[in-house]
Amino acid sequence: MDRMTNGHHAGSEAAGGRGRVRRKAKANNECCSGRMFSLFVLLSLGALALMYPMRMSAFLNPAAGIEDAEAAIEEPPQASFEDGLKQPKPVVEVEDHRGKSAKSPAPAKPPTSATLDPSSATSEATTVLNPFDEYWKNARAQAGEALKKWRAKYAKLEKKGCRQCCHDGEKWGVPCFDVDSCAAKAKPGNKYAFVYSHVGKPGWPWLTFLHSMKVQALALEADGADRADIVVLMTKKDIHSLTNRHREFLDLYGVILQEIPWTLPPELKWWPSHWWPGKADGWCGPQDLMRLHVLGMTDYDAASFYDQDIEFQGDGGAALKCASTGKFISASGGVGEPMNVGFFALRPSKEFLRAAEIFAENVTFAEKSGWDNSGHKPAGGYFVGAECGQGYMNSLIYQKKSKKGREALTRAGLLDSKGEWKNIEPVVVDRCIWNYQTGHMCENPFNCELIRVHHKPTGDPNGGDCVKLKRAKFSSPFSEVAPPPALPPKKWQHLQCLVSYVRIGANCRCSEVPSHIKKVDVDGQVLACESKVVNNAGDTFSVEWTKSRLTVTRTDHKSCWCLDKLEVQCCLAARDGKMLPRLENPEENEESGAPAPPPPPPPPPPPPPPPPPPPPPPRAASALAATKPPSQGKKGNASIPLTLAEADPAKLPWRHQTKETQEKIAEWFTPKPRAQGCSKCCQDGRKWGVPCFDSQLEECAAKGKIGGRYALVYAQVERPNWPWRTFLPSLQQQRRLLEARSKGTVDIVFLMLGKDIKRLTRQHTEFLKENNVTLREVPWALPPELWWHPDNWWFGKSDGWCGPQDLIRMHVFGMDDYDGAAYYDQDIEYHGDISPVLLCASTGIFLSTSGGVGEPLNVGFFALKPDRRLLRAAEYMAWNITFNKQDGWGMAGWGPSSGYFVGAECGQGYVNTLIYQKEAKVAQKALERAGISAPEAVQLDRCIWNYQTGAGCPHRMDCSLIQVHHKPTGQPLGYDCPKLALRTAENLAENVGLTIPQVEENRWIQQSCRIQNVDVGQSCKCSEGAKAATKSVKHPGYAIACQPDPRNQAGDEFRSVVMQDLDEKPQFLLKATRWDADSCWCADLKVQCCIVPQSGTPSEFDLVSSFGT
């Protein structure tokens, strides 16, 4: 304040006499104002001392305030998160874990609790010292030492990153920006922010690389930064969906939750036709564009956004230092995107955020012309994410010829009169170092130790891709900073126990009495538990416990709950002299930086396999049957709804009705035929929508060669990693099924180049030998006469083009020492029986499926009767052939697609041209020259024989129909069917059967009911999106049962839920949800119910569910 006053007077003395007169009057006014302000401050302090004695003692005597705060730890305030937001901002100085004075309400990181952003109120817990302060002090010092070690190691490495992956908004190949030289110009004492964002309710595990980011923040502070915060951007609705576990996790790492007002700029009125506001999936706009709020985080000198799957392997803080000098930093994407919004850094300004909002005004997007006809430069056309944040930000920031972008920047005051940036310079950095997304366009070979920020792959690599540190052959000094210790909360530390989250799950047996209570047995002794919990739906529960059992009671309503995400934090004692693991979480993400509990002892060796089963009937029962959940009557499965086949007849709600009525209601609960596969996903090379071959498959298989020789084929390009062929056991089961049905021999064959076979390790070769796999050397991965390849690829390059890994599979065409052969990708899992496919192929029919994103052919699967002449035709077609995105291979076009599709430049386009495009002259000439006619080529239903997510499949498809599961390989999105390991009993109950009520004896079910229609009507407010998919109506009487899967006159499918309220006169609420689509309906819906007329007054609330959802 003195410096500001002295500066003011110094400037004033240089002025003339008239100025001095005004100065004197102004000084008198300032003097009076100062006295008044001092008096106001004294009165305010007195009032605050009465209201907040502990806080004022901390203000007047910081040491005393700390002592009071430590005493308060013993009995923490029982305030909710929402209560904390309403409390006034404390004005307290305490020493935080960085050893610095932090004054609230500055945007400093709170020592104990995850709060909203600095502009929001914080809870009183801010004055409480974090029991992990000592750990974070030490961790900060360790991070500083790790930074020094890393710099010394990095200085010795040869800096070879990407080739031509940087651009200037107009063209590729400009030199990548030097971040380190720029970072050296940053001022010390800056405030930095690492930023995440999240849309929707988070699952668990969550923010699995948060510790990696925290170490970077600590290293920045150790290197001279005033502070480095970690901020998570979320909407208010999503913040309130956080569970206690999420909040404690954020609290442990001192994360700041910043509430944002929008996920799409308010003026943005364009979105894809298949999406609408409120729809949870289908467009990446909301999850991308909410990141724009980082542009306006002016509490910080620099802020950087990172995707949640990013791991820091080197010094990532240099990007923030450089950004603080006025640079906007980003990197291109791994599949040709000019900008990947998984990372960017800048010096925030309100003008920048305002420009992003202005850009949204009346803007539209088209695949050919981009955002507001700005094009896609420097890309040659559409790129992944162009319609989302990657295209939006590229047009606004990098495209100098984007009229709309320039106008927005000018109106916001970011450009000068010449159209040049005033205080910001957008630059592009080497993505192989600063945002590694596979080895595409990186130097070959590439030194993985150069990577500072690793984005992808998150799992197993392809070819020479660099991996996360957990799988890497080298270590980073930053990984030596261990995560925080697993200590229980302060209130439980005297119990000498470990914290565990006990999974409660759902209690969806809504017709049982009571249905609002669930008991769960715990493996261990319970010493303490939290007494109140809330699930993601906002339902509230009380918790009681004995030595080894928890009793959870829903308190907001005496009814069931069907949301599975419910868990209770408990303090568990030692068991048999050993401490229990900290987290009982079978879904713990393997990418998490947290230490895993010691592995359990290995299971006993499995018994020898049973003899092969007899040939199965058509559409054999899926292998999923082996994983069918146990009967719901068994302990531990009370929350899983029952189907008619599983229900106890003596407990059916309609057991007292007439035989005719019982038969009618039982008919309701008998599953109706639903669409079992895709719609118009099969093609003949000319048009889509031809009938899939499924209906003829068994008839064709019956003509297959008995006693023949068959091959199930994999292919491998480059040296494999480990683990390898993770679904080989699943394929071994198929071998046994095929051998039993064909009465022949079946080999599993791996195709590899000779040079790659030589690179197999002993572990690989022993693995092949143990599994009785035949290794077959092939002479080429690309047809010898094929000289075309993309500009960004060259012969010998291990990545950047899918041609070699696709076209090597064509050797299957020539394996005519087998009567039938089928190729399958490595990530395919077998859920059913593929023997009909091989037997049918042996008759001379070529079988395949289309792809999940519009490809006419997916080369992840095909089957045929091999003929070396067909292989020769594939080689002949390569002669002088070229490819372009306008005309396809050899000017043959895209039939039946209307234009370019994924993989068209690789095997998917090449094989489709050769086998299915009957009018393609290049294919005709090649086949004729090889002396062979084109094989009869058909397609199977991809939703069943090559499942690649639910795209194009029936809504909420019955997952048990899948015979071959390709994708997703990880956690499913929406209603996608997952791999068997990720499939749950609840998922099966939802997708397979119709669940029925189980009602104990009561006065109502003993009375006769009458079947009548309940008029639900329409729900035609289609602009509401998914909200319009559900409608509820009230009806008088007691519903014994209602039709669980009604359909309206338009054929739309529904599921119904009945809630019975017996408060004075019986009435029930009928809730209908559209089942075949998450959308509205405009044709009247009537639901048949068997209803007992109003009479009597029962004494309790009953809930009857005709569908457990």
Side-chain angles (χ1 to χ4, degrees), residues 238-258:
D238 294 337
I239 287 175
H240 288 294
S241 73
L242 293 173
T243 65
N244 292 343
R245 183 180 233 178
H246 295 117
R247 297 187 193 284
E248 290 165 4
F249 182 54
L250 298 181
D251 172 54
L252 177 62
Y253 281 92
V255 174
I256 296 173
L257 275 173
Q258 179 166 322

Side-chain angles (χ1 to χ4, degrees), residues 227 252 326 549 569 580 583 662 722 812 837 997 1074-1075:
R227 71 170 187 272
L252 177 62
R549 172 171 289 189
Q569 185 189 40
L580 296 170
L583 296 178
Q662 289 188 42
W722 192 265
V812 181
V837 175
R1074 186 163 175 187
W1075 198 246

Side-chain angles (χ1 to χ4, degrees), residues 754-977:
K755 69 179 184 67
D756 295 332
I757 292 176
K758 293 177 182 178
R759 299 174 65 193
L760 291 176
T761 65
R762 182 176 179 182
Q763 187 178 30
H764 292 119
T765 55
E766 289 180 352
F767 174 71
L768 298 178
K769 184 178 180 180
E770 290 170 1
N771 286 277
N772 194 23
V773 171
T774 301
L775 193 60
R776 178 173 291 202
E777 181 179 333
V778 295
W780 50 258
L782 292 177
E785 301 299 333
L786 182 63
W787 292 98
W788 179 90
H789 52 76
D791 294 337
N792 62 348
W793 188 88
W794 54 88
F795 291 102
K797 190 173 187 293
S798 60
D799 54 14
W801 180 42
C802 46
Q805 70 183 38
D806 279 9
L807 297 176
I808 190 175
R809 320 174 180 197
M810 294 195 302
H811 286 288
V812 181
F813 294 176
M815 293 172 58
D816 53 8
D817 47 335
Y818 293 96
D819 298 292
Y823 174 86
Y824 287 99
D825 266 355
Q826 298 182 28
D827 56 346
I828 277 178
E829 180 181 59
Y830 306 89
H831 292 188
D833 177 14
I834 63 172
S835 60
V837 175
L838 274 293
L839 288 167
C840 180
S842 71
T843 67
I845 293 179
F846 186 100
L847 301 105
S848 73
T849 72
S850 58
V853 288
E855 318 96 290
L857 172 73
N858 177 268
V859 287
F861 152 68
F862 58 85
L864 77 160
K865 179 179 176 62
D867 188 324
R868 68 184 61 191
R869 295 176 298 171
L870 186 59
L871 175 60
R872 192 63 185 141
E875 294 174 326
Y876 283 145
M877 196 175 87
W879 180 261
N880 287 332
I881 199 171
T882 59
F883 171 87
N884 65 70
K885 289 194 174 183
Q886 287 72 43
D887 304 302
W889 286 98
M891 309 291 287
W894 311 102
S897 294
S898 57
Y900 174 83
F901 51 83
V902 173
E905 71 276 31
C906 305
Q908 305 199 145
Y910 195 94
V911 176
N912 182 61
T913 301
L914 175 66
I915 304 295
Y916 284 91
Q917 290 186 261
K918 302 293 192 286
E919 298 176 0
K921 293 183 179 179
V922 288
Q924 292 173 356
K925 291 179 180 179
L927 292 165
E928 181 180 355
R929 185 179 175 190
I932 186 175
S933 301
E936 180 184 354
V938 300
Q939 287 204 319
L940 296 171
D941 189 322
R942 74 155 181 267
C943 297
I944 296 173
W945 296 101
N946 187 13
Y947 183 85
Q948 303 154 67
T949 75
C953 302
H955 192 63
R956 305 181 201 245
M957 178 179 169
D958 182 350
C959 298
S960 66
L961 293 172
I962 297 172
Q963 304 292 300
V964 177
H965 188 289
H966 197 164
K967 299 181 186 304
T969 53
Q971 289 289 345
L973 297 174
Y975 299 110
D976 286 348
C977 295

Side-chain angles (χ1 to χ4, degrees), residues 511-530:
S511 57
E512 291 188 348
V513 179
S515 63
H516 65 294
I517 299 175
K518 184 175 182 180
K519 297 181 180 180
V520 176
D521 290 329
V522 179
D523 185 15
Q525 183 179 357
V526 181
L527 299 183
C529 287
E530 53 187 334

Side-chain angles (χ1 to χ4, degrees), residues 967-988:
K967 299 181 186 304
T969 53
Q971 289 289 345
L973 297 174
Y975 299 110
D976 286 348
C977 295
K979 301 286 189 192
L980 292 180
L982 300 175
R983 198 163 292 181
T984 63
E986 288 83 353
N987 173 277
L988 291 176

